[in-house]
Amino acid sequence: MKHNQQATPLFNALKQFANHDPISFHVPGHKNGELFPRLAREYYQSVLPLDMTELSGLDDLHAPHDVIKEAQDLAAAYFGAEQTHFLVGGSTAGNMAMILAVCSAGEKIIVQRNSHKSIFNGLELSGASPVFIAPEFNHSVNRYTAPDLDTLKKSLAQHPDAKAVVLTYPDYFGQTFAVKEMIDHAHEYNIPVLVDEAHGVHFSTDNNFPASSLDLGADAVVQSAHKMAPAMTMGSFLHVNSSRIDGNRVTHYLQMLQSSSPSYPIMASLDIARYFLASLSTDEMEDVMKSASRVKEILNENDAWHVLSADDPLKITLQMHHGISAHEVSGLFEKEGVYPELATHNQILLIHGLTPFKHYKELKNGIIRVREQLKNIRNHATIEIGNLFTKQIQELAMPYQTMPQRYTTKIPLSQSAGCIAAEAITPYPPGIPFILKGERITETHISIIKQLIHQGAAIQHDNVTQGVSVFK
């Protein structure tokens, strides 16, 4: 069947419905935009007529048979999947659904340790017994990236009964790894590979980017359309591409995890995002690549940092020099009206969009002012994280199934070494847990957390300096 990638069936249906000036005796309560506070109306008025519910002709995300099904089928055809689901709860919903679909309580699942927190939330909900494979410290980019192929091979040899392998590709910074070899090896055991490809939706466009894991044989792949494509925040895709995954189970868990009143503007934006990616011309992409190169040249014109290379040319990482805190530099950028995606202790990530950059002059002037202000900032001691993951293959110190039966207590962070964490401690962004719930806390954890807090890192925790929850 030939699919017309220029079509936007869901968006068109919403637009046509709104153009008929329908009389609303249904939800949502803003009544097609008639009821909305004046102070916000001008910002919302164009999208409110598209904010519909499951009316005749507008289909139902949880039982699609009409325009939503057509839009999802177009996405599946474009990305090369057997089945594509629209996600209105972000990649978080997709990550959890694909984990729940493959394993049950007590069953083993092999998981990349530096995964997003949504992966670990899915593991906890499933009650699975995760086997974590540690990432390697990549000295060329000065951070942990991905597990080594040999580590995966060892874990599969030790746990051939695992129900799935969960990987993250690419990482937040646009770095890839030998994911095809990992997928192929897992398939030798007939074990499915689930990939959190939140940062790779644009890999489908052309050869300027690495191949998508979907093209490399992954069984289920989650992509955040809103990160690089023109979709609204929380708009993502979940692709299923293998009989190793039970599609009915995926659908079942998505119905449980996603709202029974899904956002039509978000779903329509996924329809539009797929159309945009499919319509990008070679000339347009060449302009984007030239723009990204120019931005990198401007950013490299200083001695406080340098731009690291990345497999994804639209991910621009600044590596700080001389003990300069990336958190402080990121704050200086923001004061100049330049907002990076994230800062770690030593790196700043900026994301170039799929459109040419237009603010070269403002960027150059902002960098000049940042450099001047850096003269007044004291340098920090280097944080050594290269020894964070000391075991290649590791399991939780306490299984998820045991946790609800145990009492917890809060103790000072400095006294927590040797205890089992009763909560995750997660720098955000990027949202990768530094300490897992059920993991034994080490002196290295404590030392690095204190240094991160001192440098201004944002941590998703009530107040880690006041104490951490541990199991008794």
Side-chain angles (χ1 to χ4, degrees):
M1 177 181 177
K2 189 173 182 180
H3 293 83
N4 177 16
Q5 293 297 336
Q6 301 304 304
T8 52
L10 178 54
F11 172 65
N12 286 348
L14 287 168
K15 186 171 60 173
Q16 291 168 12
F17 196 92
N19 287 340
H20 286 122
D21 294 323
I23 298 171
S24 172
F25 280 102
H26 56 78
V27 298
H30 57 67
K31 299 298 179 182
N32 304 332
E34 293 179 12
L35 174 64
F36 216 73
R38 187 181 302 275
L39 62 90
R41 188 174 298 159
E42 69 172 295
Y43 294 97
Y44 283 84
Q45 61 186 359
S46 63
V47 74
L48 289 174
L50 303 181
D51 187 28
M52 291 292 179
T53 189
E54 292 83 356
L55 304 174
S56 297
L58 297 184
D59 212 352
D60 181 348
L61 178 64
H62 297 300
H65 64 279
D66 194 0
V67 287
I68 293 178
K69 182 181 186 304
E70 187 179 348
Q72 290 185 148
D73 287 348
L74 280 169
Y78 171 70
F79 289 104
E82 292 180 6
Q83 185 180 29
T84 293
H85 298 272
F86 283 0
L87 305 177
V88 294
S91 288
T92 290
N95 283 337
M96 291 194 292
M98 66 182 181
I99 288 172
L100 289 163
V102 298
C103 65
S104 302
E107 293 181 328
K108 295 177 183 176
I109 183 169
I110 297 171
V111 182
Q112 181 175 332
R113 172 58 183 83
N114 57 331
S115 296
H116 188 264
K117 63 178 184 176
S118 58
I119 296 291
F120 301 107
N121 290 338
L123 294 172
E124 184 173 355
L125 284 174
S126 72
S129 296
V131 176
F132 298 113
I133 50 176
E136 297 294 313
F137 190 82
N138 187 331
H139 291 278
S140 67
V141 294
N142 203 25
R143 65 176 181 270
Y144 286 99
T145 50
D148 186 77
L149 176 59
D150 285 340
T151 303
L152 176 65
K153 287 182 175 180
K154 290 175 184 175
S155 68
L156 286 167
Q158 293 174 19
H159 305 281
D161 55 340
K163 295 298 181 180
V165 172
V166 182
L167 301 171
T168 301
Y169 169 98
D171 70 7
Y172 213 130
F173 298 83
Q175 207 69 22
T176 62
F177 57 95
V179 71
K180 184 181 188 310
E181 289 83 349
M182 292 190 176
I183 292 168
D184 290 346
H185 190 72
H187 286 173
E188 291 179 13
Y189 290 80
N190 199 32
I191 293 176
V193 179
L194 320 179
V195 180
D196 177 358
E197 195 173 283
H199 294 270
V201 70
H202 55 304
F203 287 5
S204 59
T205 53
D206 68 9
N207 58 11
N208 283 292
F209 304 104
S212 167
S213 61
L214 195 61
D215 296 326
L216 300 176
D219 301 276
V221 176
V222 172
Q223 297 172 328
S224 292
H226 66 93
K227 293 192 186 301
M228 294 300 293
M232 293 180 69
T233 296
M234 293 171 66
S236 297
F237 300 113
L238 168 54
H239 309 290
V240 178
N241 204 37
S242 166
S243 60
R244 296 182 187 89
I245 306 282
D246 186 338
N248 291 328
R249 285 177 63 86
V250 172
T251 300
H252 169 71
Y253 284 110
L254 283 176
Q255 290 176 347
M256 293 179 67
L257 293 167
Q258 299 212 96
S259 171
S260 60
S261 300
S263 165
Y264 271 85
I266 292 177
M267 288 190 287
S269 76
L270 288 169
D271 196 17
I272 293 165
R274 182 269 316 152
Y275 156 82
F276 170 82
L277 293 171
S279 303
L280 268 175
S281 70
T282 301
D283 289 343
E284 288 172 326
M285 189 59 74
E286 185 177 338
D287 289 341
V288 170
M289 292 300 113
K290 288 178 180 177
S291 173
S293 295
R294 178 64 181 134
V295 169
K296 292 173 189 175
E297 289 173 4
I298 293 172
L299 289 165
N300 253 336
E301 294 172 355
N302 73 94
D303 59 1
W305 60 74
H306 68 276
V307 176
L308 292 173
S309 62
D311 297 320
D312 181 350
L314 300 186
K315 296 295 180 73
I316 304 171
T317 301
L318 309 183
Q319 172 67 51
M320 299 296 111
H321 298 166
H322 318 303
I324 293 172
S325 166
H327 295 292
E328 291 189 73
V329 175
S330 180
L332 295 177
F333 270 116
E334 291 184 1
K335 288 179 181 178
E336 298 299 329
V338 177
Y339 288 82
E341 171 67 12
L342 68 86
T344 65
H345 66 288
N346 64 342
Q347 296 180 347
I348 295 175
L349 173 64
L350 302 100
I351 299 178
H352 190 292
L354 282 168
T355 185
F357 189 69
K358 298 178 181 178
H359 308 285
Y360 296 116
K361 183 178 179 181
E362 292 90 337
L363 180 62
K364 290 189 75 167
N365 291 337
I367 289 174
I368 290 171
R369 289 190 289 269
V370 168
R371 287 171 57 192
E372 285 299 310
Q373 294 176 73
L374 281 175
K375 296 176 181 177
N376 302 318
I377 292 180
R378 66 183 180 85
N379 294 347
H380 293 267
T382 301
I383 300 179
E384 178 54 56
I385 64 169
N387 61 347
L388 182 58
F389 302 113
T390 56
K391 294 182 179 179
Q392 286 184 315
I393 302 171
Q394 189 172 7
E395 299 179 46
L396 289 176
M398 180 179 293
Y400 288 123
Q401 292 169 291
T402 303
M403 293 178 191
Q405 305 162 20
R406 299 290 293 271
Y407 290 104
T408 65
T409 185
K410 200 161 193 173
I411 63 175
L413 175 65
S414 59
Q415 298 175 19
S416 64
C419 297
I420 298 175
E423 59 185 339
I425 297 178
T426 308
Y428 197 89
I432 296 169
F434 190 72
I435 297 175
L436 298 176
K437 184 176 181 180
E439 185 174 19
R440 196 172 297 280
I441 301 170
T442 67
E443 291 287 0
T444 300
H445 286 140
I446 296 168
S447 174
I448 296 176
I449 289 171
K450 287 181 176 178
Q451 292 177 77
L452 288 173
I453 293 170
H454 180 67
Q455 291 194 12
I459 295 179
Q460 286 189 330
H461 185 280
D462 184 27
N463 191 342
V464 69
T465 59
Q466 298 298 313
V468 294
S469 291
V470 298
F471 289 105
K472 288 184 177 180

